[in-house]
């Protein structure tokens, strides 16, 4: 488990979150992700689809409703649309066993989140961890093997 504490501008504790962590998250180093090792199986599309319920935007909306000014509906909706598109693209590429298309989908979602964060600054530690865990899980479900020190978003990520 990873414990993440969120503070306001006056350093008052606002929230504490517990997230399930895996070795990749705990030992990961930021760097170029290769996505070289893979055993994409066309039947793995259902494994990718099963991760759709892990898109973190519902938690973001709840935090916004509870007064967290970090979030706004327009940026959450844009991120949610992008994450659903990412899942659709990876699922389709998995069915075609297209490793390059999966890599392109990772690049595109990271660049979209960069854009959203560049205007709103809404991706802080918790949000970054949620997104990285989701992206890793989707890529692994497609059939890629990631090294313990590999950050598949690191090549493009600014958040």
């Amino acid at each position: 488990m990873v414990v993440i504490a969120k503070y306001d501008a006056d350093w008052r504790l606002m929230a504490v979150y517990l997230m399930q962590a895996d070795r990749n998250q705990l030992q990961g180093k930021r760097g170029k992700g290769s996505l070289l090792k893979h055993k994409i199986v066309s039947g793995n599309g259902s494994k990718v689809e099963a991760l759709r319920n892990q898109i973190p935007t519902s938690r973001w909306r709840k935090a916004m409703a509870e007064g967290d000014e970090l979030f706004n509906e327009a940026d959450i909706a844009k991120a949610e649309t992008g994450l659903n598109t990412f899942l659709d693209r990876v699922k389709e590429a998995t069915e075609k066993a297209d490793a390059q298309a999966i890599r392109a989908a990772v690049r595109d979602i990271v660049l979209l989140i960069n854009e959203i964060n560049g205007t709103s600054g809404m991706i802080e530690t918790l949000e970054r961890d949620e997104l990285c865990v989701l992206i890793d899980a989707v890529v692994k479900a497609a059939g890629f093997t990631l090294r313990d020190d590999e950050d598949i978003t690191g090549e493009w990520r600014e958040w």
Side-chain angles (χ1 to χ4, degrees), residues 6 14 17 56-77 120 122 127:
K6 192 169 189 176
M14 291 176 50
Y17 299 96
T57 52
S58 60
R59 188 200 63 79
W60 299 353
R61 281 192 178 92
K62 182 178 177 189
M64 184 178 69
E66 293 172 352
D68 190 336
E69 295 176 2
L70 181 65
F71 301 105
N72 67 72
E73 181 55 38
D75 287 338
I76 293 173
S120 69
M122 74 178 213
E127 294 75 28

Side-chain angles (χ1 to χ4, degrees), residues 34-52:
S34 64
L35 296 182
L36 293 177
K37 295 185 202 172
H38 59 278
K39 294 179 186 173
I40 301 172
V41 178
S42 62
N44 284 3
S46 61
K47 292 180 181 179
V48 172
E49 181 61 35
L51 295 166
R52 196 171 300 272

Side-chain angles (χ1 to χ4, degrees), residues 46-145:
S46 61
K47 292 180 181 179
V48 172
E49 181 61 35
L51 295 166
R52 196 171 300 272
N53 66 355
Q54 293 185 20
I55 292 176
T57 52
S58 60
R59 188 200 63 79
W60 299 353
R61 281 192 178 92
K62 182 178 177 189
M64 184 178 69
E66 293 172 352
D68 190 336
E69 295 176 2
L70 181 65
F71 301 105
N72 67 72
E73 181 55 38
D75 287 338
I76 293 173
K78 188 173 182 178
E80 186 170 62
T81 299
L83 289 165
N84 277 305
T85 300
F86 164 69
L87 283 163
D88 292 340
R89 288 178 63 194
V90 172
K91 184 178 169 184
E92 181 180 330
T94 299
E95 296 302 326
K96 295 178 181 177
D98 187 346
Q100 293 295 58
I102 293 171
R103 187 176 193 283
V106 171
R107 180 197 64 225
D108 292 349
I109 190 58
V110 171
L111 294 176
L112 176 69
I113 300 297
N114 285 349
E115 178 186 320
I116 293 168
N117 192 51
T119 59
S120 69
M122 74 178 213
I123 307 300
E124 292 187 342
T125 303
L126 176 61
E127 294 75 28
R128 180 195 66 225
D129 290 346
E130 289 171 326
L131 291 166
C132 287
V133 166
L134 174 64
I135 293 168
D136 280 359
V138 169
V139 169
K140 287 177 184 178
F144 284 91
T145 301

